[in-house]
Amino acid sequence: MIVMAILLMLIPGLALADNAVMQELGTKAAKAAMQDLKVEKGDANLLILTSAGHAIVDGETSQGAIKGLMNESGNCIGDGNLFQVLRPHWKPVWFFFFDKATGEAVYLQANSKSLNGSLEDFKALSDDKVFSKISKANVDIDYLRNHTDEGNATFNGKAFGGNEFSLAGIANVWARGGSFDFIQATCFHDHLCPGVTSGLFLAKFVEGKLPINNISAESYKVISCPNWCKDDLLQMRWDATPGKSGMFVMALTDAEKKAVPGIAGIYIRWNDTAKSGDALALAYNFSAVQLPTWTGPSWGSKLYQDIVLMDWTDKPEAFITILKEFKVDSAMLAQMQNAGMHPLKVAGVM
Ligand SMILES: [Zn+2]
């Protein structure tokens, strides 16, 4: 009897957050945020970003929260207004709601301790128990230009749990018509920065010079040397992942970078039937174009660049120089991928 009683006492505490609780978490987040932002279900101005699906809380995966978000808001991947932003599994589950019409955003971070009880108990919890952080701020760059004190509070005060730049950047570009594939790639990268935009421009440039003509035999291979944010977009856009030998990533010393200014790696259209490819060694110059400049606090600088760079999406060649164009065979490809070799020396650009 005593053992039974002890067991019964322990069980509620032992119960892990299940999918129903996670779903309810998403529902609660959407309800609270939509009320705060005064938006109705199905409002086309609403964007939702979340770490749900990536975060794992006490061994429980969090994708159920996405179901709650979708049911409550009407937002979904198919409408391009719900995205999962990549985060390591040990980071918290958070939700970010952005209203394009006003620029206002609400951020809610789940309190992991609240997720351990039963669904019934969880339903009864108030928002301040469910979420360890609820904050609201206007993140529209045009608004922030004239309200830098609010921006200071948001960015310097970590209003979104350290996710300020990541979330504000993606939201601003989404609001200005950023394409689905681009937003998706920035969500894989964690944030939207001029570096990931350079990846889009490099990709478009390569696709123009070396188009894929044979979809069953050809693919792009990237000798990413040196690496930067661009590589995450290239992985998504081209399925050029390191695990499938689509990308080999190597760093350069400062001296090496200086020796080949702007070097952005080697881009190969590889034909796996012919075992040969066409390669471009490219340089990327971030300051090739005189962009409008941001004169406010530093937190706005990259955010603003993200937006003004959108105007150049169809003119990637403005930033890119071909250093060398050459043919690649299996032996040369193997050399450029090899840890003991220097790919830029193998390619003859250094
Ligand atoms: Zn980046």
Side-chain angles (χ1 to χ4, degrees):
M1 280 291 282
I2 294 164
V3 172
M4 278 289 284
I6 291 168
L7 272 177
L8 282 171
M9 277 167 66
L10 285 173
I11 284 166
L14 285 173
L16 292 170
D18 62 12
N19 218 44
V21 171
M22 282 294 179
Q23 184 177 336
E24 181 63 19
L25 173 67
T27 304
K28 279 178 178 285
K31 261 189 191 151
M34 289 166 69
Q35 199 167 24
D36 205 347
L37 294 170
K38 300 182 184 68
V39 295
E40 301 289 327
K41 182 173 182 173
D43 190 323
N45 288 319
L46 186 68
L47 168 70
I48 304 178
L49 303 174
T50 182
S51 66
H54 294 303
I56 300 176
V57 185
D58 293 333
E60 200 71 33
T61 56
S62 57
Q63 75 284 359
I66 298 168
K67 195 173 177 185
L69 291 173
M70 287 170 65
N71 290 347
E72 194 62 30
S73 66
N75 287 36
C76 63
I77 296 173
D79 287 331
N81 54 20
L82 173 64
F83 293 89
Q84 292 171 257
V85 187
L86 185 59
R87 290 291 184 272
H89 71 79
W90 56 84
K91 295 245 182 164
V93 186
W94 50 253
F95 308 95
F96 176 80
F97 299 77
F98 171 75
D99 180 6
K100 184 165 81 168
T102 61
E104 289 186 325
V106 171
Y107 173 87
L108 306 99
Q109 191 167 300
N111 175 2
S112 59
K113 288 184 194 77
S114 76
L115 299 165
N116 289 328
S118 68
L119 177 60
E120 211 162 287
D121 291 345
F122 183 73
K123 276 186 171 170
L125 290 179
S126 58
D127 286 346
D128 61 322
K129 294 277 190 304
V130 172
F131 302 105
S132 56
K133 191 178 188 77
I134 303 178
S135 47
K136 188 180 183 183
N138 195 310
V139 296
D140 180 76
I141 193 77
D142 293 326
Y143 176 90
L144 290 174
R145 185 199 306 280
N146 302 316
H147 300 82
T148 50
D149 48 337
E150 284 184 43
N152 288 339
T154 304
F155 289 90
N156 303 339
K158 298 200 186 320
F160 306 148
N163 299 295
E164 301 74 32
F165 173 67
S166 165
L167 300 176
I170 296 169
N172 271 283
V173 170
W174 176 83
R176 287 164 178 78
S179 65
F180 178 83
D181 60 296
F182 184 53
I183 301 292
Q184 193 178 41
T186 68
C187 288
F188 171 64
H189 178 57
D190 162 302
H191 59 263
L192 205 171
C193 61
V196 77
T197 304
S198 74
L200 177 67
F201 292 2
L202 284 159
K204 288 193 161 224
F205 184 85
V206 172
E207 289 164 14
K209 294 283 177 202
L210 301 173
I212 297 289
N213 299 315
N214 179 343
I215 58 167
S216 56
E218 291 175 343
S219 66
Y220 291 119
K221 287 182 182 289
V222 183
I223 308 296
S224 165
C225 182
N227 62 304
W228 73 73
C229 303
K230 61 179 167 54
D231 301 310
D232 292 343
L233 181 133
L234 297 170
Q235 286 181 61
M236 284 291 277
R237 188 175 174 96
W238 290 344
D239 186 23
T241 64
K244 300 191 297 293
S245 302
M247 181 178 286
F248 288 80
V249 183
M250 284 155 272
L252 289 178
T253 64
D254 287 344
E256 286 173 323
K257 284 183 197 165
K258 223 177 241 171
V260 193
I263 181 71
I266 297 159
Y267 299 78
I268 305 157
R269 179 183 60 192
W270 181 252
N271 187 312
D272 207 40
T273 308
K275 300 293 176 198
S276 69
D278 302 286
L280 295 170
L282 299 178
Y284 191 91
N285 181 358
F286 280 91
S287 43
V289 169
Q290 186 65 47
L291 297 168
T293 48
W294 171 261
T295 50
S298 60
W299 45 256
S301 168
K302 280 190 175 175
L303 208 59
Y304 185 67
Q305 274 185 54
D306 288 343
I307 291 156
V308 293
L309 278 169
M310 289 176 77
D311 291 340
W312 292 86
T313 306
D314 296 323
K315 291 161 274 206
E317 64 280 358
F319 300 85
I320 297 161
T321 313
I322 299 177
L323 300 176
K324 190 172 180 180
E325 215 165 340
F326 55 102
K327 294 271 180 202
V328 177
D329 60 14
S330 292
M332 190 184 190
L333 181 65
Q335 282 201 322
M336 286 195 291
Q337 295 171 346
N338 191 285
M341 307 297 285
H342 196 309
L344 300 182
K345 289 180 182 165
V346 173
V349 289
M350 182 181 265

